[in-house]
Amino acid sequence: MENTAFIALGSNMGNRYDNIVNAINRLKSYPAIQLVNLSSVYETDPVGYEDQDLFLNMVIKVQTNLSAMELLETCLKIELELGRKREIKWGPRTLDLDILTFNQENIESEKLNVPHPRMIERAFVLVPLVEIDQNLRLPGVDKPLNILLNELPDKEGVRLWKRKNGEDVFVPIGS
């Protein structure tokens, strides 16, 4: 398990929480992928295309023997298995799995850009990512992510998500 990746998960259709849990369980079912850490779940306002329901977002850290492209193919397969349809750019989705980082590599290809090109502009990515690793640095970025997060203006659109009974919704998945 020599590669480390951070993956963002998001859902705003159907049972959002079940969609995220099912995606993590499917990722963990692959022998080449090991779940290392996960963030809390956050409810977030839509960004880009705003006429849609609120999202649940979180970030996980995995170790894997897969290459970045193999991990991407696995994530796309899981999205499809769980009902993802790509109809509107930044539109509603049952599930979104985005590879944020892969080791400290810069990858620019037609299918995959790592680090994720818009992640440092998005509080719904940085809040859960910083929760897992506040000192994480991206290749080519001179500031740690926690500093970049503090500089973002729109953090109020990201709220820790709780059950209706007031308890934290998040019990570590599969621990």
Side-chain angles (χ1 to χ4, degrees), residues 139-167:
V141 178
D142 58 351
K143 297 178 185 176
L145 292 182
N146 60 336
I147 303 295
L148 293 171
L149 174 60
N150 288 335
E151 294 173 352
L152 281 182
D154 64 344
K155 292 182 291 290
E156 68 279 351
V158 179
R159 299 160 300 277
L160 186 62
W161 187 63
K162 297 179 182 284
R163 287 187 192 266
K164 289 180 184 171
N165 66 9
E167 293 177 14

Side-chain angles (χ1 to χ4, degrees), residues 71-121:
L71 183 59
L72 173 65
E73 293 303 322
T74 301
C75 289
L76 293 172
K77 179 180 176 206
I78 290 169
E79 285 181 353
L80 281 174
E81 290 170 355
L82 294 176
R84 170 78 189 261
K85 292 177 177 46
R86 295 175 184 272
E87 293 165 343
I88 301 171
K89 184 170 181 148
W90 296 324
R93 62 205 74 157
T94 51
L95 183 65
D96 192 20
L97 298 175
D98 285 330
I99 300 172
L100 302 175
T101 68
F102 193 85
N103 301 322
Q104 282 292 306
E105 294 177 29
N106 275 310
I107 301 169
E108 289 186 35
S109 75
E110 193 175 310
K111 290 186 171 184
L112 180 64
N113 288 303
V114 172
H116 192 284
R118 292 172 301 281
M119 66 185 273
I120 62 174
E121 303 161 11

